[in-house]
Amino acid sequence: MQYTINPPKTIDTTIKLPASKSISNRVLIINALAGGNIIPQNISECDDTDVTLAALKNMPEVINIKAAGTAMRFLTAYLAATPGKHIITGTERMKRRPIGLLVDALRMLGADIEYVGEEGFPPLKIKGKTLMGGTIDVKGNMSSQFISALLMIAPTMINGLELRMTSEIISRPYIDLTLWTMREYGADADWTSGNTIMVKPKMYKQRDYLIENDWSAASYWYEILALNGDADSKVNLEGLMDGSKQGDSMIRYIFSMLGVKTKFESKEKGKPTTITLSRNMRKLPRMDYDFVSSPDLAQTVVTCCCAMNVPFRFEGLSTLKIKETDRILALEQELKKLGFVLHDIDGKEMYWDGERCEATMEPIDTYEDHRMAMAFAPLAIKYPGLKINDPQVVSKSYPKFWDDLRQAGFEITEE
């Protein structure tokens, strides 16, 4: 499937964003560990959450999480700490995504996990049981999802968990989101120093829970407003909170540097409200930023800066190479089709100094990566008629993305 996208001249729309995938996946695991009798409200309807829901509901002998990396990490830990025997597997790409650091850590805590195929990669055979817990050291620059997976099962461990991180900690806001969600369910878990977290053996309590909408999904609307040339354009986004614990809520500060203002309808922190995005017509001549705390925003900001002709140097990108695809390589290849020559340094940094090449305007490939499709789609504002291959990949996190673009006035035709 291929979509051709043409933009509206002006935008004035209200969008009901999808529920947060990050919070949904955490709440589902924690809620299951608490007994699972109270269904959380506003659960995400994306592919990642669907596979987690299905696994927790049916608990089949073989659990196929398809391309859902979060589900692979979180369910691996959950299954290790829950009685039963299971094999967890996924797509061919998932079988090439390393999971050895998480498995090693779980084994140190008493888990019974075997590799079905290649050492260090899924599929995994897991025999679940109550884990002893204790104190372990892990690398702080391992995936925050690995760390979150360990933390969420820690209250069920006999001795709880003291988790010490021995190097620079990446994606710290995602770890903080995990701890906050755990405490919402009654866990005793917090930082005891700048690199150590203590979780006491105190079981979760069941409760009603309302999941906030997704700041990651909001990022694409920020990009649309930044690229749109009409000063009167605006977008209302429903269901977001001022003071949100989602790491990607940083997007409002990042895009304030690219000419987008954010106004909260309600000033009451901790309550979902509507935000309004509008233009302030100012932008930085150049952007330097460290994405170590919010790497999932990098694709949106990279594509937007190129289309706005804003040179940049971005750091903190090391985890992008082990996402749904090698996102650094994918960005370089696809932006070259639009005439931009990007460079990376050791897979950790990326920069664009204004270097251009001849644009081929070939269709944009999405690499089975939802964020590639959604980050490039707004570029149709600068490149009307932009074509995107395999647009259905957005179902991983934002299934109604294309419907919402149409509602905002974009013309999208299928070929």
Side-chain angles (χ1 to χ4, degrees):
M1 187 188 301
Q2 182 185 92
Y3 279 172
T4 300
I5 310 170
N6 284 287
K9 290 183 179 179
T10 187
I11 298 172
D12 187 351
T13 190
T14 297
I15 301 297
K16 186 181 187 309
L17 292 168
S20 167
K21 178 168 70 78
S22 295
I23 297 178
S24 291
N25 283 326
R26 285 162 172 79
V27 166
L28 286 173
I29 296 295
I30 293 169
N31 183 67
L33 291 168
N37 294 328
I38 303 175
I39 299 175
Q41 300 175 53
N42 195 37
I43 297 174
S44 171
E45 297 178 351
C46 68
D47 290 350
D48 277 20
T49 306
D50 285 347
V51 296
T52 302
L53 268 170
L56 293 172
K57 179 181 179 181
N58 302 319
M59 293 296 283
E61 182 179 347
V62 177
I63 297 174
N64 186 346
I65 54 78
K66 302 176 184 177
T70 307
M72 173 59 75
R73 282 83 179 261
F74 289 2
L75 283 170
T76 292
Y78 175 81
L79 294 172
T82 305
K85 297 180 181 179
H86 301 275
I87 291 175
I88 185 167
T89 187
T91 62
E92 288 305 310
R93 168 64 183 172
M94 184 58 61
K95 294 174 184 177
R96 296 194 300 272
R97 295 179 69 175
I99 199 168
L101 291 176
L102 176 59
V103 171
D104 290 346
L106 287 167
R107 284 173 169 173
M108 283 190 284
L109 296 167
D112 185 345
I113 304 175
E114 298 178 18
Y115 293 107
V116 175
E118 185 179 354
E119 190 85 4
F121 299 86
L124 306 172
K125 179 188 284 187
I126 303 173
K127 183 179 180 181
K129 58 182 179 179
T130 300
L131 303 181
M132 290 300 297
T135 300
I136 61 170
D137 293 342
V138 299
K139 294 181 179 178
N141 59 1
M142 71 191 291
S143 168
S144 66
Q145 291 182 2
F146 289 4
I147 294 170
S148 291
L150 296 171
L151 292 174
M152 285 189 289
I153 63 170
T156 72
M157 297 178 190
I158 293 172
N159 298 315
L161 176 65
E162 183 181 32
L163 189 66
R164 300 186 302 206
M165 283 156 274
T166 59
S167 57
E168 178 191 15
I169 300 170
I170 61 173
S171 303
R172 186 185 286 261
Y174 289 97
I175 300 172
D176 288 336
L177 175 63
T178 301
L179 291 170
W180 175 73
T181 309
M182 290 168 63
R183 290 192 293 267
E184 291 281 281
Y185 276 83
D188 188 339
D190 209 346
W191 297 92
T192 57
S193 70
N195 65 351
T196 302
I197 297 171
M198 177 70 74
V199 183
K200 294 184 179 179
K202 178 185 176 184
M203 285 301 296
Y204 295 113
K205 297 178 181 178
Q206 296 188 51
R207 56 159 294 180
D208 290 319
Y209 200 89
L210 174 63
I211 296 169
E212 181 188 5
N213 286 349
D214 190 24
W215 275 98
S216 301
S219 71
Y220 310 111
W221 294 98
Y222 276 92
E223 182 180 8
I224 286 167
L225 256 290
L227 295 175
N228 182 268
D230 181 14
D232 295 324
S233 287
K234 65 178 182 179
V235 175
N236 302 310
L237 301 175
E238 297 179 348
L240 300 173
M241 295 193 306
D242 193 3
S244 173
K245 300 298 182 181
Q246 294 182 55
D248 288 351
S249 62
M250 282 298 298
I251 197 68
R252 62 174 164 142
Y253 301 110
I254 296 171
F255 269 90
S256 69
M257 297 183 282
L258 293 171
V260 181
K261 294 187 293 185
T262 304
K263 181 180 178 181
F264 286 83
E265 186 177 273
S266 169
K267 294 297 183 181
E268 186 178 2
K269 289 195 174 185
K271 299 290 184 182
T273 187
T274 297
I275 67 171
T276 300
L277 311 184
S278 58
R279 294 285 306 276
N280 67 15
M281 307 306 289
R282 292 178 295 176
K283 66 177 182 179
L284 287 178
R286 173 185 173 85
M287 180 176 279
D288 294 89
Y289 193 79
D290 189 341
F291 283 92
V292 67
S293 294
S294 48
D296 282 346
L297 298 177
Q299 287 153 293
T300 310
V301 183
V302 165
T303 53
C304 189
C305 283
C306 286
M308 294 181 73
N309 201 35
V310 176
F312 60 82
R313 186 183 187 95
F314 295 148
E315 302 176 12
L317 306 179
S318 59
T319 60
L320 296 191
K321 297 187 76 66
I322 58 169
K323 295 286 187 176
E324 283 80 349
T325 186
D326 180 339
R327 287 176 170 172
I328 290 178
L329 180 60
L331 283 168
E332 291 175 353
Q333 291 178 336
E334 299 314 302
L335 281 165
K336 191 171 185 179
K337 294 176 180 178
L338 303 180
F340 302 97
V341 180
L342 275 64
H343 302 275
D344 75 272
I345 302 174
D346 299 328
K348 298 177 181 179
E349 301 180 19
M350 177 173 280
Y351 70 91
W352 180 60
D353 56 11
E355 184 179 353
R356 303 294 296 262
C357 62
E358 183 178 354
T360 64
M361 299 310 297
E362 297 171 75
I364 301 299
D365 289 314
T366 50
Y367 303 82
E368 298 183 4
D369 185 348
H370 53 134
R371 299 199 190 282
M372 284 296 291
M374 292 185 287
F376 273 86
L379 300 193
I381 294 171
K382 297 293 186 181
Y383 302 94
L386 184 74
K387 298 181 185 296
I388 294 186
N389 289 329
D390 301 318
Q392 70 278 4
V393 294
V394 301
S395 64
K396 181 175 174 62
S397 64
Y398 192 165
K400 296 181 180 179
F401 177 72
W402 301 113
D403 293 337
D404 286 349
L405 283 192
R406 291 186 178 99
Q407 178 184 315
F410 284 80
E411 294 181 5
I412 302 173
T413 56
E414 181 180 337
E415 297 182 14

